[in-house]
mmCIF file of all heavy atoms in Angstrom:
data_model
loop_
_atom_site.group_PDB
_atom_site.id
_atom_site.type_symbol
_atom_site.label_atom_id
_atom_site.label_comp_id
_atom_site.label_asym_id
_atom_site.label_seq_id
_atom_site.Cartn_x
_atom_site.Cartn_y
_atom_site.Cartn_z
ATOM 1 N N MET A 1 0.805 -1.250 -0.015
ATOM 2 C CA MET A 1 0.013 0.032 -0.040
ATOM 3 C C MET A 1 0.836 1.240 0.009
ATOM 4 O O MET A 1 0.523 2.265 -0.722
ATOM 5 C CB MET A 1 -0.907 0.048 1.250
ATOM 6 C CG MET A 1 -1.721 1.231 1.392
ATOM 7 S SD MET A 1 -2.722 1.268 2.935
ATOM 8 C CE MET A 1 -3.838 -0.027 2.568
ATOM 9 N N ALA A 2 1.972 1.274 0.748
ATOM 10 C CA ALA A 2 2.776 2.425 0.979
ATOM 11 C C ALA A 2 3.797 2.621 -0.109
ATOM 12 O O ALA A 2 4.254 3.768 -0.295
ATOM 13 C CB ALA A 2 3.402 2.338 2.341
ATOM 14 N N GLY A 3 4.237 1.549 -0.716
ATOM 15 C CA GLY A 3 5.317 1.653 -1.746
ATOM 16 C C GLY A 3 6.672 1.617 -1.151
ATOM 17 O O GLY A 3 7.760 1.830 -1.835
ATOM 18 N N PHE A 4 6.772 1.469 0.182
ATOM 19 C CA PHE A 4 7.983 1.228 0.919
ATOM 20 C C PHE A 4 7.773 0.116 2.013
ATOM 21 O O PHE A 4 6.578 -0.038 2.360
ATOM 22 C CB PHE A 4 8.474 2.542 1.555
ATOM 23 C CG PHE A 4 8.901 3.602 0.664
ATOM 24 C CD1 PHE A 4 8.049 4.581 0.177
ATOM 25 C CD2 PHE A 4 10.285 3.640 0.207
ATOM 26 C CE1 PHE A 4 8.540 5.582 -0.643
ATOM 27 C CE2 PHE A 4 10.668 4.611 -0.716
ATOM 28 C CZ PHE A 4 9.799 5.638 -1.113
ATOM 29 N N PRO A 5 8.834 -0.468 2.532
ATOM 30 C CA PRO A 5 8.659 -1.431 3.539
ATOM 31 C C PRO A 5 8.003 -0.778 4.825
ATOM 32 O O PRO A 5 8.401 0.350 5.215
ATOM 33 C CB PRO A 5 10.033 -1.928 3.897
ATOM 34 C CG PRO A 5 10.832 -1.620 2.718
ATOM 35 C CD PRO A 5 10.225 -0.402 2.076
ATOM 36 N N VAL A 6 6.972 -1.467 5.332
ATOM 37 C CA VAL A 6 6.294 -0.937 6.524
ATOM 38 C C VAL A 6 6.349 -2.028 7.648
ATOM 39 O O VAL A 6 6.005 -3.180 7.313
ATOM 40 C CB VAL A 6 4.789 -0.536 6.264
ATOM 41 C CG1 VAL A 6 4.143 -0.165 7.590
ATOM 42 C CG2 VAL A 6 4.779 0.666 5.275
ATOM 43 N N TYR A 7 6.724 -1.677 8.842
ATOM 44 C CA TYR A 7 6.957 -2.663 9.927
ATOM 45 C C TYR A 7 6.050 -2.266 11.108
ATOM 46 O O TYR A 7 5.790 -1.075 11.323
ATOM 47 C CB TYR A 7 8.414 -2.586 10.385
ATOM 48 C CG TYR A 7 9.405 -2.927 9.307
ATOM 49 C CD1 TYR A 7 9.761 -1.913 8.389
ATOM 50 C CD2 TYR A 7 9.970 -4.110 9.159
ATOM 51 C CE1 TYR A 7 10.696 -2.190 7.345
ATOM 52 C CE2 TYR A 7 10.932 -4.435 8.204
ATOM 53 C CZ TYR A 7 11.291 -3.441 7.241
ATOM 54 O OH TYR A 7 12.219 -3.719 6.272
ATOM 55 N N LEU A 8 5.637 -3.229 11.853
ATOM 56 C CA LEU A 8 4.991 -3.041 13.132
ATOM 57 C C LEU A 8 5.916 -3.315 14.307
ATOM 58 O O LEU A 8 6.447 -4.392 14.388
ATOM 59 C CB LEU A 8 3.702 -3.883 13.254
ATOM 60 C CG LEU A 8 2.642 -3.720 12.252
ATOM 61 C CD1 LEU A 8 1.464 -4.630 12.626
ATOM 62 C CD2 LEU A 8 2.182 -2.351 12.087
ATOM 63 N N LYS A 9 6.151 -2.325 15.178
ATOM 64 C CA LYS A 9 6.858 -2.433 16.381
ATOM 65 C C LYS A 9 5.844 -2.985 17.425
ATOM 66 O O LYS A 9 5.045 -2.175 17.918
ATOM 67 C CB LYS A 9 7.598 -1.208 16.767
ATOM 68 C CG LYS A 9 8.307 -1.290 18.074
ATOM 69 C CD LYS A 9 9.367 -2.263 18.120
ATOM 70 C CE LYS A 9 10.379 -2.133 19.329
ATOM 71 N NZ LYS A 9 11.292 -3.250 19.429
ATOM 72 N N GLN A 10 5.905 -4.228 17.831
ATOM 73 C CA GLN A 10 4.774 -4.868 18.435
ATOM 74 C C GLN A 10 4.881 -4.895 19.949
ATOM 75 O O GLN A 10 5.220 -5.882 20.678
ATOM 76 C CB GLN A 10 4.638 -6.356 17.938
ATOM 77 C CG GLN A 10 4.274 -6.316 16.466
ATOM 78 C CD GLN A 10 3.978 -7.790 15.914
ATOM 79 O OE1 GLN A 10 3.720 -8.676 16.681
ATOM 80 N NE2 GLN A 10 3.991 -7.843 14.690
ATOM 81 N N GLU A 11 4.597 -3.636 20.527
ATOM 82 C CA GLU A 11 4.732 -3.485 21.964
ATOM 83 C C GLU A 11 3.556 -4.173 22.741
ATOM 84 O O GLU A 11 3.647 -4.278 23.973
ATOM 85 C CB GLU A 11 4.718 -1.914 22.372
ATOM 86 C CG GLU A 11 6.039 -1.383 22.072
ATOM 87 C CD GLU A 11 7.167 -1.859 22.994
ATOM 88 O OE1 GLU A 11 7.104 -1.626 24.112
ATOM 89 O OE2 GLU A 11 8.100 -2.539 22.415
ATOM 90 N N GLN A 12 2.553 -4.655 22.051
ATOM 91 C CA GLN A 12 1.527 -5.432 22.718
ATOM 92 C C GLN A 12 2.030 -6.761 23.281
ATOM 93 O O GLN A 12 1.363 -7.438 24.018
ATOM 94 C CB GLN A 12 0.326 -5.620 21.828
ATOM 95 C CG GLN A 12 0.472 -6.883 20.899
ATOM 96 C CD GLN A 12 1.244 -6.479 19.653
ATOM 97 O OE1 GLN A 12 1.937 -5.478 19.408
ATOM 98 N NE2 GLN A 12 1.244 -7.463 18.680
ATOM 99 N N ARG A 13 3.212 -7.086 22.882
ATOM 100 C CA ARG A 13 3.893 -8.363 23.310
ATOM 101 C C ARG A 13 4.592 -8.174 24.783
ATOM 102 O O ARG A 13 5.222 -9.168 25.126
ATOM 103 C CB ARG A 13 4.783 -8.884 22.337
ATOM 104 C CG ARG A 13 4.154 -9.263 20.964
ATOM 105 C CD ARG A 13 5.029 -9.897 19.981
ATOM 106 N NE ARG A 13 4.387 -10.166 18.778
ATOM 107 C CZ ARG A 13 3.671 -11.250 18.513
ATOM 108 N NH1 ARG A 13 3.491 -12.185 19.405
ATOM 109 N NH2 ARG A 13 3.092 -11.430 17.295
ATOM 110 N N GLN A 14 4.568 -7.013 25.312
ATOM 111 C CA GLN A 14 5.160 -6.824 26.588
ATOM 112 C C GLN A 14 4.436 -7.702 27.624
ATOM 113 O O GLN A 14 3.222 -7.954 27.494
ATOM 114 C CB GLN A 14 5.147 -5.360 27.040
ATOM 115 C CG GLN A 14 6.118 -4.551 26.229
ATOM 116 C CD GLN A 14 7.607 -4.870 26.419
ATOM 117 O OE1 GLN A 14 8.002 -5.601 27.290
ATOM 118 N NE2 GLN A 14 8.456 -4.202 25.560
ATOM 119 N N PRO A 15 5.037 -8.041 28.779
ATOM 120 C CA PRO A 15 4.369 -8.868 29.798
ATOM 121 C C PRO A 15 2.998 -8.241 30.300
ATOM 122 O O PRO A 15 2.088 -8.954 30.598
ATOM 123 C CB PRO A 15 5.365 -8.882 30.981
ATOM 124 C CG PRO A 15 6.627 -8.727 30.356
ATOM 125 C CD PRO A 15 6.449 -7.852 29.104
ATOM 126 N N THR A 16 2.948 -6.901 30.291
ATOM 127 C CA THR A 16 1.655 -6.248 30.701
ATOM 128 C C THR A 16 0.858 -5.845 29.529
ATOM 129 O O THR A 16 -0.175 -5.098 29.684
ATOM 130 C CB THR A 16 1.933 -4.997 31.645
ATOM 131 O OG1 THR A 16 2.753 -4.052 30.814
ATOM 132 C CG2 THR A 16 2.691 -5.380 32.860
ATOM 133 N N GLY A 17 1.278 -6.212 28.332
ATOM 134 C CA GLY A 17 0.462 -5.976 27.149
ATOM 135 C C GLY A 17 0.692 -4.587 26.499
ATOM 136 O O GLY A 17 0.010 -4.273 25.531
ATOM 137 N N ALA A 18 1.605 -3.796 26.967
ATOM 138 C CA ALA A 18 1.830 -2.417 26.421
ATOM 139 C C ALA A 18 3.131 -1.861 26.763
ATOM 140 O O ALA A 18 3.883 -2.352 27.699
ATOM 141 C CB ALA A 18 0.717 -1.473 26.883
ATOM 142 N N PHE A 19 3.645 -0.922 26.001
ATOM 143 C CA PHE A 19 4.955 -0.238 26.217
ATOM 144 C C PHE A 19 5.104 0.344 27.593
ATOM 145 O O PHE A 19 6.225 0.578 28.002
ATOM 146 C CB PHE A 19 5.156 0.894 25.131
ATOM 147 C CG PHE A 19 4.297 2.042 25.396
ATOM 148 C CD1 PHE A 19 4.868 3.121 26.075
ATOM 149 C CD2 PHE A 19 2.991 2.137 24.965
ATOM 150 C CE1 PHE A 19 4.123 4.285 26.355
ATOM 151 C CE2 PHE A 19 2.255 3.226 25.231
ATOM 152 C CZ PHE A 19 2.811 4.316 25.976
ATOM 153 N N LYS A 20 4.006 0.562 28.239
ATOM 154 C CA LYS A 20 4.115 1.369 29.480
ATOM 155 C C LYS A 20 5.020 0.707 30.522
ATOM 156 O O LYS A 20 5.455 1.465 31.503
ATOM 157 C CB LYS A 20 2.703 1.549 30.115
ATOM 158 C CG LYS A 20 1.760 2.472 29.343
ATOM 159 C CD LYS A 20 2.029 3.898 29.588
ATOM 160 C CE LYS A 20 0.987 4.834 29.052
ATOM 161 N NZ LYS A 20 1.266 6.223 29.344
ATOM 162 N N LEU A 21 5.243 -0.603 30.499
ATOM 163 C CA LEU A 21 6.119 -1.237 31.431
ATOM 164 C C LEU A 21 7.510 -0.543 31.404
ATOM 165 O O LEU A 21 8.110 -0.533 32.500
ATOM 166 C CB LEU A 21 6.288 -2.710 31.056
ATOM 167 C CG LEU A 21 7.279 -3.510 31.725
ATOM 168 C CD1 LEU A 21 6.996 -3.589 33.201
ATOM 169 C CD2 LEU A 21 7.384 -4.971 31.110
ATOM 170 N N ARG A 22 7.972 -0.111 30.264
ATOM 171 C CA ARG A 22 9.341 0.360 30.237
ATOM 172 C C ARG A 22 9.499 1.587 31.067
ATOM 173 O O ARG A 22 10.447 1.794 31.841
ATOM 174 C CB ARG A 22 9.593 0.796 28.710
ATOM 175 C CG ARG A 22 9.563 -0.313 27.726
ATOM 176 C CD ARG A 22 9.708 0.096 26.328
ATOM 177 N NE ARG A 22 9.600 -0.878 25.295
ATOM 178 C CZ ARG A 22 10.653 -1.562 24.778
ATOM 179 N NH1 ARG A 22 11.897 -1.060 25.108
ATOM 180 N NH2 ARG A 22 10.547 -2.440 23.912
ATOM 181 N N GLY A 23 8.570 2.625 31.033
ATOM 182 C CA GLY A 23 8.656 3.844 31.753
ATOM 183 C C GLY A 23 8.349 3.538 33.248
ATOM 184 O O GLY A 23 9.017 4.106 34.038
ATOM 185 N N ALA A 24 7.329 2.690 33.572
ATOM 186 C CA ALA A 24 7.019 2.425 34.944
ATOM 187 C C ALA A 24 8.208 1.769 35.652
ATOM 188 O O ALA A 24 8.452 2.140 36.829
ATOM 189 C CB ALA A 24 5.708 1.597 35.014
ATOM 190 N N TRP A 25 8.788 0.818 35.090
ATOM 191 C CA TRP A 25 9.922 0.165 35.749
ATOM 192 C C TRP A 25 11.105 1.118 35.937
ATOM 193 O O TRP A 25 11.672 1.122 36.998
ATOM 194 C CB TRP A 25 10.423 -1.044 34.822
ATOM 195 C CG TRP A 25 11.504 -1.843 35.507
ATOM 196 C CD1 TRP A 25 12.799 -1.750 35.287
ATOM 197 C CD2 TRP A 25 11.240 -2.836 36.519
ATOM 198 N NE1 TRP A 25 13.544 -2.551 36.093
ATOM 199 C CE2 TRP A 25 12.638 -3.303 36.840
ATOM 200 C CE3 TRP A 25 10.223 -3.409 37.110
ATOM 201 C CZ2 TRP A 25 12.904 -4.269 37.734
ATOM 202 C CZ3 TRP A 25 10.500 -4.399 37.998
ATOM 203 C CH2 TRP A 25 11.778 -4.860 38.363
ATOM 204 N N ASN A 26 11.399 1.947 34.938
ATOM 205 C CA ASN A 26 12.425 2.896 35.046
ATOM 206 C C ASN A 26 12.178 3.865 36.245
ATOM 207 O O ASN A 26 13.007 4.187 37.036
ATOM 208 C CB ASN A 26 12.686 3.691 33.761
ATOM 209 C CG ASN A 26 13.973 4.415 33.768
ATOM 210 O OD1 ASN A 26 15.097 3.940 34.131
ATOM 211 N ND2 ASN A 26 13.837 5.699 33.405
ATOM 212 N N ALA A 27 10.915 4.342 36.274
ATOM 213 C CA ALA A 27 10.597 5.370 37.329
ATOM 214 C C ALA A 27 10.701 4.722 38.665
ATOM 215 O O ALA A 27 11.210 5.347 39.704
ATOM 216 C CB ALA A 27 9.169 5.782 37.106
ATOM 217 N N LEU A 28 10.290 3.474 38.937
ATOM 218 C CA LEU A 28 10.241 2.914 40.182
ATOM 219 C C LEU A 28 11.685 2.556 40.644
ATOM 220 O O LEU A 28 12.018 2.756 41.832
ATOM 221 C CB LEU A 28 9.377 1.568 40.295
ATOM 222 C CG LEU A 28 8.017 1.831 40.876
ATOM 223 C CD1 LEU A 28 7.114 2.594 39.938
ATOM 224 C CD2 LEU A 28 7.318 0.460 41.202
ATOM 225 N N THR A 29 12.522 2.046 39.696
ATOM 226 C CA THR A 29 13.887 1.623 40.083
ATOM 227 C C THR A 29 14.700 2.920 40.396
ATOM 228 O O THR A 29 15.635 2.768 41.153
ATOM 229 C CB THR A 29 14.551 0.854 38.976
ATOM 230 O OG1 THR A 29 14.516 1.608 37.736
ATOM 231 C CG2 THR A 29 13.817 -0.488 38.774
ATOM 232 N N ARG A 30 14.315 4.091 39.854
ATOM 233 C CA ARG A 30 15.126 5.230 40.082
ATOM 234 C C ARG A 30 14.569 6.101 41.225
ATOM 235 O O ARG A 30 15.151 7.139 41.575
ATOM 236 C CB ARG A 30 15.244 6.150 38.830
ATOM 237 C CG ARG A 30 16.019 5.375 37.719
ATOM 238 C CD ARG A 30 16.264 6.377 36.529
ATOM 239 N NE ARG A 30 16.826 7.585 36.769
ATOM 240 C CZ ARG A 30 18.211 7.760 37.071
ATOM 241 N NH1 ARG A 30 18.966 6.794 37.042
ATOM 242 N NH2 ARG A 30 18.659 8.993 37.227
ATOM 243 N N MET A 31 13.473 5.620 41.828
ATOM 244 C CA MET A 31 12.829 6.395 42.914
ATOM 245 C C MET A 31 13.615 6.195 44.242
ATOM 246 O O MET A 31 14.447 5.219 44.437
ATOM 247 C CB MET A 31 11.506 5.787 43.123
ATOM 248 C CG MET A 31 10.556 6.558 44.132
ATOM 249 S SD MET A 31 8.914 5.711 44.187
ATOM 250 C CE MET A 31 8.278 6.051 42.542
ATOM 251 N N ASP A 32 13.556 7.155 45.131
ATOM 252 C CA ASP A 32 14.203 7.062 46.483
ATOM 253 C C ASP A 32 13.680 5.837 47.110
ATOM 254 O O ASP A 32 12.537 5.607 47.247
ATOM 255 C CB ASP A 32 13.851 8.295 47.251
ATOM 256 C CG ASP A 32 14.432 8.122 48.736
ATOM 257 O OD1 ASP A 32 15.592 8.275 48.883
ATOM 258 O OD2 ASP A 32 13.640 7.904 49.614
ATOM 259 N N PRO A 33 14.617 4.936 47.572
ATOM 260 C CA PRO A 33 14.197 3.619 48.125
ATOM 261 C C PRO A 33 13.267 3.738 49.335
ATOM 262 O O PRO A 33 12.321 3.002 49.464
ATOM 263 C CB PRO A 33 15.542 2.950 48.568
ATOM 264 C CG PRO A 33 16.495 3.567 47.731
ATOM 265 C CD PRO A 33 16.173 4.990 47.439
ATOM 266 N N ALA A 34 13.410 4.782 50.142
ATOM 267 C CA ALA A 34 12.504 4.897 51.263
ATOM 268 C C ALA A 34 11.151 5.253 50.757
ATOM 269 O O ALA A 34 10.116 4.817 51.341
ATOM 270 C CB ALA A 34 13.159 5.962 52.243
ATOM 271 N N ALA A 35 11.038 6.147 49.821
ATOM 272 C CA ALA A 35 9.762 6.571 49.261
ATOM 273 C C ALA A 35 9.077 5.317 48.609
ATOM 274 O O ALA A 35 7.864 5.092 48.837
ATOM 275 C CB ALA A 35 9.954 7.680 48.342
ATOM 276 N N ARG A 36 9.818 4.553 47.828
ATOM 277 C CA ARG A 36 9.275 3.426 47.216
ATOM 278 C C ARG A 36 8.723 2.413 48.128
ATOM 279 O O ARG A 36 7.678 1.731 47.931
ATOM 280 C CB ARG A 36 10.383 2.760 46.256
ATOM 281 C CG ARG A 36 9.860 1.659 45.456
ATOM 282 C CD ARG A 36 10.869 1.117 44.463
ATOM 283 N NE ARG A 36 12.057 0.683 45.161
ATOM 284 C CZ ARG A 36 13.333 1.109 44.953
ATOM 285 N NH1 ARG A 36 13.532 2.055 43.988
ATOM 286 N NH2 ARG A 36 14.377 0.648 45.660
ATOM 287 N N ALA A 37 9.490 2.188 49.225
ATOM 288 C CA ALA A 37 9.037 1.240 50.268
ATOM 289 C C ALA A 37 7.648 1.530 50.861
ATOM 290 O O ALA A 37 6.949 0.611 51.285
ATOM 291 C CB ALA A 37 10.097 1.093 51.318
ATOM 292 N N ARG A 38 7.345 2.798 50.891
ATOM 293 C CA ARG A 38 6.001 3.137 51.474
ATOM 294 C C ARG A 38 4.854 2.893 50.558
ATOM 295 O O ARG A 38 3.696 2.855 50.966
ATOM 296 C CB ARG A 38 6.048 4.671 51.818
ATOM 297 C CG ARG A 38 6.917 4.986 53.044
ATOM 298 C CD ARG A 38 6.624 6.392 53.549
ATOM 299 N NE ARG A 38 7.104 7.462 52.648
ATOM 300 C CZ ARG A 38 8.237 7.974 52.500
ATOM 301 N NH1 ARG A 38 9.232 7.542 53.382
ATOM 302 N NH2 ARG A 38 8.592 8.903 51.641
ATOM 303 N N GLY A 39 5.212 2.563 49.314
ATOM 304 C CA GLY A 39 4.207 2.261 48.292
ATOM 305 C C GLY A 39 4.022 3.343 47.286
ATOM 306 O O GLY A 39 4.485 4.559 47.412
ATOM 307 N N VAL A 40 3.374 3.011 46.144
ATOM 308 C CA VAL A 40 3.224 4.038 45.056
ATOM 309 C C VAL A 40 1.725 4.062 44.599
ATOM 310 O O VAL A 40 0.980 3.175 44.876
ATOM 311 C CB VAL A 40 4.098 3.535 43.801
ATOM 312 C CG1 VAL A 40 5.541 3.637 44.165
ATOM 313 C CG2 VAL A 40 3.699 2.203 43.285
ATOM 314 N N ILE A 41 1.464 5.081 43.932
ATOM 315 C CA ILE A 41 0.087 5.294 43.339
ATOM 316 C C ILE A 41 0.230 5.971 42.080
ATOM 317 O O ILE A 41 1.147 6.773 41.802
ATOM 318 C CB ILE A 41 -0.806 6.113 44.373
ATOM 319 C CG1 ILE A 41 -2.249 6.183 43.880
ATOM 320 C CG2 ILE A 41 -0.215 7.575 44.533
ATOM 321 C CD1 ILE A 41 -3.167 6.743 44.904
ATOM 322 N N THR A 42 -0.720 5.633 41.130
ATOM 323 C CA THR A 42 -0.782 6.374 39.830
ATOM 324 C C THR A 42 -2.224 6.484 39.420
ATOM 325 O O THR A 42 -3.059 5.978 40.043
ATOM 326 C CB THR A 42 0.030 5.545 38.806
ATOM 327 O OG1 THR A 42 0.178 6.468 37.619
ATOM 328 C CG2 THR A 42 -0.702 4.305 38.309
ATOM 329 N N TYR A 43 -2.464 7.338 38.364
ATOM 330 C CA TYR A 43 -3.719 7.576 37.783
ATOM 331 C C TYR A 43 -3.631 7.204 36.373
ATOM 332 O O TYR A 43 -2.713 7.571 35.650
ATOM 333 C CB TYR A 43 -4.241 8.943 37.979
ATOM 334 C CG TYR A 43 -3.121 10.045 37.633
ATOM 335 C CD1 TYR A 43 -3.176 10.670 36.486
ATOM 336 C CD2 TYR A 43 -2.063 10.292 38.577
ATOM 337 C CE1 TYR A 43 -2.179 11.661 36.196
ATOM 338 C CE2 TYR A 43 -1.110 11.213 38.274
ATOM 339 C CZ TYR A 43 -1.149 11.931 37.095
ATOM 340 O OH TYR A 43 -0.168 12.798 36.786
ATOM 341 N N SER A 44 -4.556 6.281 35.927
ATOM 342 C CA SER A 44 -4.337 5.682 34.511
ATOM 343 C C SER A 44 -5.636 5.226 33.986
ATOM 344 O O SER A 44 -6.503 4.708 34.699
ATOM 345 C CB SER A 44 -3.304 4.545 34.683
ATOM 346 O OG SER A 44 -3.358 3.749 33.505
#
């Protein structure tokens, strides 16, 4: 259809079904350990 190679980057194959795992994991691992230990919350 496009006249050039078209590829799908298939992020639905992540363990949680979406790319969001990448950012969430990075954010939690870089968080202050004491703050992380108290627990986390998000809106989504």
